[in-house]
Amino acid sequence: MIAETLLNISFVSILGVKIANISRCDAIKLMEQLIQQEPGSTRTIFIVNAHTLNLAVENPEYRDVLNCANKVFPDGTGVRCAARLRGTILKNNLVGTDLIPEFLSATSNRDYRYFLLGADAATIARAAQVATERFPGWQLVGYHHGYFTTEETDSIIEQINSAQPHLLLVGMGNPKQECWLHAHQHRLQVPLGIGVGGLFDHWGSNLKRAPLWVRKLGCEWIQLLLQQPHKWGRYIIGNPKYIIRIIFSLN
Ligand code: UDP
């Protein structure tokens, strides 16, 4: 049984998604508690930003998938501002690009195993190499790219299960990664699955992190937009849409 009561977690609902207000330190403790569960049905953690919440408004089924997670963590200025307007000051920004490396470093040398799923074949191979070097205290037991067909799903699940990871990181973007984990969590024999978005692109060097001062200003999205101009609609149209939705959903 998880001793979640020992952790300080409250919740704030933003655009119908129940988001955990939890410190970085408690988030790491919770993640370790979850990976110590008997593998049976995979517990999930999803990390949502303004774009994820826009998708959830536009697709109620996706919103329900998010709400089925064991926990939903907040990522970014958009979520922080929305929470504040609802009277909640979020303890931490739990962007996966920072949280996952911190978690792997904080829980090293405990015989934990992990598996990476997502990104294109070349990127995930590079990401796997970088992760192996950067996190020697965790055993990387396998990886697979995220561009597979429905017919290939069974064999990928078999590959993951036979590698017996404690942690499955899935980086296939929103909403695919959350929907995939939700659809297959009962067949995956992995204690914890986390949706990590573009993490493997960072590890595989496709994307550069913004400098710390830009991240602190809450402007990392500008750096991402400059590197991925095809995502302009998400930011130039999506951000104003998100602001309007946040204001009009206040009551
Ligand atoms: N991706 C994937 N399979 C897909 C679509 C995307 O593995 O069918 C990967 C993509 O290569 C990238 C990651 O998912 O490494 C995040 O994709 P994207 O940046 O489009 O999504 P975001 O998380 O920003 O919404």
Side-chain angles (χ1 to χ4, degrees), residues 51 118-120 146-147 171-174 176 197-198 201 228 231 234:
H51 169 64
D120 61 59
Y147 292 88
M172 300 197 294
N174 303 138
K176 196 170 176 182
D201 293 312
Q228 301 172 294
K231 287 190 181 169
R234 172 183 307 190

Side-chain angles (χ1 to χ4, degrees), residues 14-52:
I14 302 176
L15 300 177
V17 178
K18 187 182 160 197
I19 298 174
N21 186 11
I22 180 171
S23 68
R24 182 178 303 282
C25 178
D26 277 354
I28 288 173
K29 281 188 201 154
L30 172 69
M31 287 154 72
E32 184 164 25
Q33 288 173 2
L34 290 173
I35 66 169
Q36 289 170 344
Q37 300 290 292
E38 284 301 310
S41 180
T42 298
R43 310 288 181 114
T44 52
I45 289 179
F46 298 145
I47 304 173
V48 299
N49 57 24
H51 169 64
T52 324

Side-chain angles (χ1 to χ4, degrees), residues 97 170-173 177 196-204 207 228 231:
T97 328
V170 183
M172 300 197 294
Q177 59 195 21
V196 296
L199 176 67
F200 306 141
D201 293 312
H202 287 281
W203 284 356
L207 293 177
Q228 301 172 294
K231 287 190 181 169

Side-chain angles (χ1 to χ4, degrees), residues 104-166:
L104 295 174
S105 300
T107 53
S108 62
N109 299 323
R110 297 180 196 175
D111 289 333
Y112 293 143
R113 300 177 293 276
Y114 67 133
F115 192 107
L116 313 180
L117 177 66
D120 61 59
T123 302
I124 196 66
R126 278 199 306 275
Q129 197 181 342
V130 167
T132 306
E133 287 161 13
R134 203 178 294 174
F135 310 108
W138 272 72
Q139 189 188 352
L140 182 66
V141 288
Y143 61 88
H144 197 287
H145 64 78
Y147 292 88
F148 50 88
T149 61
T150 313
E151 291 71 39
E152 290 169 307
T153 299
D154 285 351
S155 87
I156 290 168
I157 291 177
E158 222 173 277
Q159 197 179 320
I160 295 168
N161 286 346
S162 60
Q164 298 186 305
H166 296 87

